[in-house]
């Protein structure tokens, strides 16, 4: 009888185990589970590193496409694919799709509808950055600010929760994070006068569990860093997925720029904009915060990925958080307490700060002092920063962070914006200042010094994610369409393949039935394409699709 | 009956001529004042998709430097009601704001002297 009962229990659990992603599955990440890609960032640490070695610096020249899948979409394709048990899940702004990871055959496609007016409150590309998987469900956000859960087997919608009214400038492009059994989502819209936040949702029902504002209000002691009611349009968007340390039960989520850009409209530190928040995922309570750019005039937002690693610092293993910040400095923090370990300039030119003091506060340059007095100035880096949203990769083997960096400045003229719901709330007129040479480069950065071991420059800067592997290869894409592979040790170009549009996606890798695959989305239309005025991209057609590569059989 | 037919033909011809004129007669050149207001609105509302000073590659969004300067009706219709990737704006922009942006678009981004 006992044997029969045990058999029945196992029989009941098998299908669940096959189709459900448990919390412990999510904790493995791609470093311990090379058959799947279950997390945004390929692991809770957002390292985007794989221990796979079949594709390596010697074999990568044999990499060939094995299938291509049309997104039937002409927007920027920045979504990171997920892979679970041979099924690849990927999103666009207009659909969620499940594909056979080996053949590219479509298993299901679930379309997303949003009002025609929605794109007018999206500043920098009509996009979606990906989904999250948990216990047989797939979660995503929509441009008109809904969070949606679907059955991962069928694509059938299970619940749909409304975060906030898009007509007030709020939109959602972020890939959700599952941490301690809670679905976490961020928000976009700091250029539209929003008040940013991070939300927690019940994965089973879509019930709203908590909201933590990234712009401190009167009920928060740090609300005094905002004069009057300026916090109500204070920005602080949260459109890149946070990292998570399951041992510390802490989520690390970056926050965006202050609204408006003009710092004279809100004198003060403007907490918690341009910061990283350490949160309890179950309650949203802020454990600590660290602000990179107080009273930011330049759109040096800090939403981009907070990479977690254990580094040996002074002979001591240390739990760190690394941020290749848009302000041009590379930060290493102690993630147990938010204290600065080191911050060093990683870009060629910056003129807004004399440096970072021991406490982590920037020392303003004369240029920034003048801007804060309301004057026009030339400043480096420009509003797209030293690195934009494009996620870096950290290779624990080489100890280097591989980052698509930018090299251009701007002429900055503060203006006084008037808030109108649903319209931009910039607060500055800017004109780009271009360098004579390349506008960007893929750099291999030493996190403790900010110095680059090598750089692969690019006339038109790269805006794609980066992937590195134990095979000694670094992958990234170009806006002109090439997916490229570089030697992780010296930056030597090893391979490239020209896709049909510009690559702004996030490459991932996994191994299935003895074959290592590499996938990346192609599809131009993000912030640089729209906002730079770079006419050299006029011969790069729009058109989103997913490319998957493997070594050609020898 | 024949008179009525003539009237209908006459009205149709008039309507055709008026319509043809509205399609082909360019608006007067924008003044520096219109340029100033239009460029300000363009920078605030349009530039992040259509590029600074209307300079963009023309692939992910429309290159407004190529917009026909004699097709006011098409411009107002596209801005008000949306077209393809262009969202509708009529519920948030005043007609005089669309007029100012139209004036700016007709300058090609170059300030009139």
């Amino acid at each position: 009888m006992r044997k029969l009962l045990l058999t029945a229990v196992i029989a009941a659990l098998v299908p669940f185990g096959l189709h459900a992603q448990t919390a412990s599955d999510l904790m493995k990440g791609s470093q311990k589970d090379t058959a799947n890609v279950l997390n945004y960032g390929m692991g809770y640490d957002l390292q985007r590193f794989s221990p796979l070695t079949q594709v390596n610096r010697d074999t990568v020249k044999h990499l060939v496409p094995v299938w291509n899948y049309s997104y039937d979409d002409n927007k920027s394709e920045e979504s990171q694919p997920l892979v679970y048990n041979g099924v690849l899940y990927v999103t666009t702004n207009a659909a969620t799709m499940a594909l056979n990871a080996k053949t590219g055959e479509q298993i299901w496609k679930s379309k997303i509808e949003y009002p025609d007016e929605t794109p007018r409150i999206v500043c920098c590309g009509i996009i979606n950055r990906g989904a999250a998987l948990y216990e047989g469900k797939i979660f995503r956000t929509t441009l008109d600010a809904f969070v949606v859960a679907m059955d991962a087997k069928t694509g059938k919608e299970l619940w749909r929760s409304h975060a906030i009214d898009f007509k007030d400038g709020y939109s959602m492009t972020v890939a959700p994070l599952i941490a301690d059994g809670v679905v976490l989502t961020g928000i976009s819209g700091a250029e539209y006068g929003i008040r940013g936040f991070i939300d927690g949702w019940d994965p089973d029902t879509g019930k709203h569990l908590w909201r933590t504002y990234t712009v401190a209000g009167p009920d928060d002691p740090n609300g005094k860093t905002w004069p009057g009611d300026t916090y109500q349009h204070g920005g602080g968007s949260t459109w890149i997925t946070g990292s998570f340390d399951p041992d510390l039960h802490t989520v690390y989520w970056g926050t965006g720029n202050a609204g408006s850009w003009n710092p004279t409209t809100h004198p003060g530190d403007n907490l918690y904009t341009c910061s990283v928040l350490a949160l309890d995922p179950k309650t949203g309570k802020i454990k600590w915060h660290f602000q990179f750019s107080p009273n930011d005039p330049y759109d040096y937002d800090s939403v981009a990925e907070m990479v977690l690693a254990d580094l040996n610092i002074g002979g001591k293993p240390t739990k760190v958080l690394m941020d290749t910040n848009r302000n041009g400095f590379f930060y290493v923090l102690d993630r147990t307490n938010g204290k600065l370990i080191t911050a060093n300039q990683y870009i060629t030119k910056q003129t807004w700060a004399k440096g970072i003091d021991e406490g982590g506060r920037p020392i303003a340059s004369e240029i920034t002092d003048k801007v804060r007095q309301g004057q026009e100035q030339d400043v480096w880096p420009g509003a797209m920063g030293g690195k934009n949203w494009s996620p870096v990769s950290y290779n624990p083997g080489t100890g280097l962070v591989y980052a698509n960096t930018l090299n251009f400045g701007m002429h900055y003229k503060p203006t006084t914006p008037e808030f109108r719901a649903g319209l931009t709330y910039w607060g500055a007129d800017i004109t780009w200042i271009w360098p004579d040479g390349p506008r960007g480069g893929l750099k291999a950065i030493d996190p403790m010094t900010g110095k680059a071991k090598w750089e692969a420059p690019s006339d038109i800067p790269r805006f794609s994610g980066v992937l590195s592997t134990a095979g000694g290869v670094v992958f990234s894409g170009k806006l002109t369409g090439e997916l490229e592979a570089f030697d992780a040790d010296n930056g030597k170009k090893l391979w490239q393949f020209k896709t049909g549009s510009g690559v702004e996606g996030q490459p991932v890798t996994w191994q299935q039935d003895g074959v290592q695959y590499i996938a990346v989305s192609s599809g131009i239309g993000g912030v640089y394409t729209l906002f730079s005025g770079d006419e050299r991209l006029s011969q790069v057609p729009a058109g989103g699709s997913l490319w998957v590569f493997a070594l050609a059989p020898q | 009956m024949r008179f009525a037919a003539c009237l209908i033909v006459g009205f149709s011809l008039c309507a055709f001529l008026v319509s043809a004129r509205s399609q082909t007669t360019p608006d007067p050149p924008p003044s520096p004042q219109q340029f100033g207001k239009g460029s300000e609105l363009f920078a605030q509302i349009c530039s992040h998709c259509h590029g600074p000073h209307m300079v963009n590659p023309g692939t992910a969004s429309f290159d407004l430097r190529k917009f026909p300067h004699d097709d006011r009706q098409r411009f107002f219709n596209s801005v008000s009601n949306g077209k393809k990737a262009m969202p509708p704006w009529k519920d948030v922009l005043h007609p005089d704001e669309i007029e100012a942006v139209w004036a700016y678009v007709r300058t090609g981004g170059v300030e009139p002297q």
Side-chain angles (χ1 to χ4, degrees):
Chain A
M1 182 62 192
R2 184 177 289 178
K3 193 180 274 182
L4 192 66
L5 192 64
L6 190 65
T7 309
V9 168
I10 290 170
L13 285 177
V14 161
F16 184 75
L18 280 176
H19 299 290
Q21 306 70 42
T22 62
S24 64
D25 287 337
L26 292 173
M27 283 164 63
K28 290 177 193 164
S30 297
Q31 294 189 36
K32 290 181 183 156
D33 177 11
T34 54
N36 298 306
V37 180
L38 291 182
N39 317 73
Y40 185 83
M42 294 179 60
Y44 275 142
D45 52 20
L46 304 185
Q47 289 187 4
R48 291 180 168 79
F49 171 78
S50 170
L52 292 172
T53 57
Q54 186 178 85
V55 177
N56 57 48
R57 54 168 64 87
D58 297 321
T59 62
V60 68
K61 59 179 178 277
H62 301 301
L63 209 55
V64 292
V66 290
W67 55 265
N68 173 254
Y69 172 82
S70 171
Y71 286 143
D72 186 22
D73 182 58
N74 275 345
K75 304 297 193 299
S76 172
E77 308 302 348
E78 299 183 1
S79 178
Q80 186 211 288
L82 299 175
V83 179
Y84 184 65
N85 278 353
V87 179
L88 185 148
Y89 301 91
V90 70
T91 62
T92 67
N93 76 97
T96 312
M97 292 141 283
L99 313 172
N100 181 315
K102 204 188 259 190
T103 65
E105 181 188 358
Q106 181 177 298
I107 299 167
W108 56 257
K109 177 172 181 173
S110 178
K111 292 190 178 178
I112 300 284
E113 301 284 344
Y114 50 78
D116 291 344
E117 292 85 355
T118 317
R120 69 189 184 202
I121 47 89
V122 182
C123 77
C124 307
I126 309 302
I127 57 164
N128 185 270
R129 290 204 168 81
L133 286 167
Y134 182 57
E135 293 187 338
K137 298 187 189 71
I138 182 163
F139 305 88
R140 65 162 293 161
T141 60
T142 70
L143 212 57
D144 56 343
F146 284 84
V147 183
V148 181
M150 289 162 280
D151 184 323
K153 273 198 285 190
T154 63
K156 185 187 169 198
E157 188 172 303
L158 301 173
W159 54 257
R160 165 179 287 257
S161 295
H162 190 208
I164 198 159
D165 191 348
F166 80 89
K167 289 197 170 175
D168 289 329
Y170 294 84
S171 58
M172 292 176 100
T173 58
V174 67
L177 171 71
I178 312 294
D180 279 347
V182 176
V183 182
L184 280 79
T185 55
I187 197 79
S188 307
E191 275 67 46
Y192 293 84
I194 67 158
R195 182 185 179 201
F197 53 79
I198 300 164
D199 277 331
W201 310 87
D202 182 326
D204 289 330
T205 63
K207 183 186 170 194
H208 189 233
L209 301 176
W210 52 261
R211 170 165 294 176
T212 295
Y213 283 102
T214 56
V215 176
D219 56 341
D220 181 329
N222 288 313
K224 64 181 183 295
T225 62
W226 293 91
D229 61 358
T230 54
Y231 72 96
Q232 291 180 2
H233 304 300
S237 46
T238 47
W239 43 272
I240 294 289
T241 310
S243 46
F244 175 51
D245 185 330
D247 295 331
L248 299 175
H249 298 282
T250 304
V251 164
Y252 304 91
W253 207 296
T255 67
N257 54 284
S260 73
W261 290 7
N262 183 343
T264 68
T265 64
H266 44 76
D269 278 1
N270 312 137
L271 288 168
Y272 306 96
T273 61
C274 297
S275 301
V276 55
L277 298 179
L279 301 169
D280 179 338
K282 287 200 167 162
T283 63
K285 189 181 169 208
I286 298 174
K287 296 182 176 182
W288 55 257
H289 70 272
F290 179 92
Q291 189 173 41
F292 302 98
S293 303
N295 192 225
D296 164 51
Y298 306 123
D299 192 24
Y300 294 161
D301 75 34
S302 301
V303 294
E305 72 289 349
M306 302 292 159
V307 177
L308 309 185
D310 294 338
L311 296 188
N312 190 324
I313 296 177
K316 189 178 149 198
T318 309
K319 291 177 182 293
V320 306
L321 173 154
M322 298 185 285
D323 181 39
T324 319
N325 197 275
R326 199 147 141 174
N327 69 15
F329 290 88
F330 193 104
Y331 293 78
V332 180
L333 307 183
D334 181 332
R335 72 171 180 270
T336 65
N337 56 23
K339 301 292 181 201
L340 178 71
I341 295 172
T342 187
N344 298 284
Q345 184 176 326
Y346 69 90
I347 53 173
T348 311
K349 183 175 179 181
Q350 71 80 21
T351 63
W352 74 279
K354 292 177 186 165
I356 308 296
D357 75 16
E358 283 187 8
R361 192 177 181 86
I363 305 158
S365 68
E366 288 176 11
I367 288 171
T368 297
D369 285 341
K370 287 177 181 171
V371 164
R372 292 208 173 106
Q373 291 160 15
Q375 296 182 30
E376 291 183 43
Q377 292 289 307
D378 289 347
V379 64
W380 290 63
M384 291 193 207
K387 180 188 84 70
N388 203 264
W389 80 274
S390 324
V392 304
S393 173
Y394 170 68
N395 180 332
T398 63
L400 297 168
V401 169
Y402 302 94
N404 279 324
T405 65
L406 305 176
N407 179 37
F408 51 92
M410 65 179 168
H411 179 75
Y412 179 94
K413 179 185 174 189
T415 61
T416 305
E418 180 191 340
F419 178 76
R420 279 169 68 183
L423 294 182
T424 51
Y425 188 62
W426 293 116
D429 279 344
I430 59 166
T431 309
W432 304 115
I433 302 173
W434 304 116
D436 291 334
R439 296 182 182 180
L442 174 62
K443 285 188 177 182
I445 300 170
D446 177 341
M448 293 304 289
T449 66
K451 291 190 167 39
K453 184 177 180 188
W454 56 259
E455 177 176 3
S458 182
D459 287 346
I460 299 172
R462 298 177 183 87
F463 271 76
S464 148
V466 185
L467 162 71
S468 68
T469 72
V473 186
V474 179
F475 290 95
S476 193
K478 295 184 85 169
L479 288 174
T480 43
E482 297 85 355
L483 179 67
E484 303 173 298
F486 299 91
D487 187 315
D489 286 337
N490 55 31
K492 185 184 166 197
K493 176 97 160 271
L494 301 171
W495 171 89
Q496 75 167 38
F497 177 84
K498 180 99 162 77
T499 68
S501 185
V503 176
E504 301 183 9
Q506 308 178 48
V508 296
T509 189
W510 73 98
Q511 190 150 306
Q512 186 176 342
D513 299 331
V515 177
Q516 183 183 352
Y517 294 94
I518 289 144
V520 72
S521 293
S522 171
I524 200 165
V527 61
Y528 182 84
T529 312
L530 295 170
F531 208 10
S532 69
D534 192 335
E535 295 186 275
R536 293 173 295 181
L537 293 170
S538 62
Q539 302 307 319
V540 182
S545 68
L546 180 67
W547 287 90
V548 175
F549 302 87
L551 295 179
Q554 297 297 300
Chain B
M1 186 65 190
R2 185 177 288 174
F3 176 71
C6 280
L7 264 184
I8 291 168
V9 169
F11 278 130
S12 302
L13 193 62
C14 272
F16 173 76
L17 287 174
V18 167
S19 158
R21 187 176 185 284
S22 70
Q23 289 290 320
T24 57
T25 306
D27 288 336
S31 66
Q33 289 75 19
Q34 285 175 309
F35 175 87
K37 185 179 177 189
S39 67
E40 199 175 293
L41 279 165
F42 183 89
Q44 187 196 350
I45 297 164
C46 320
S47 65
H48 56 90
C49 285
H50 292 286
H53 311 291
M54 283 187 281
V55 179
N56 81 11
T59 49
S61 56
F62 191 88
D63 183 350
L64 283 170
R65 292 167 298 176
K66 295 179 178 168
F67 198 95
H69 290 184
D70 59 356
D71 207 342
R72 172 193 179 85
Q73 189 181 337
R74 177 180 153 196
F75 184 83
F76 272 72
N77 187 49
S78 299
V79 175
S80 301
N81 303 314
K83 185 176 181 182
K84 294 183 181 171
M86 176 78 170
W89 291 89
K90 66 185 168 196
D91 61 320
V92 288
L93 289 183
H94 305 303
D96 63 322
E97 290 176 316
I98 303 176
E99 186 76 47
V101 176
W102 171 232
Y104 176 72
V105 166
R106 284 183 293 121
T107 68
V110 180
E111 186 165 5
Q113 297 303 309

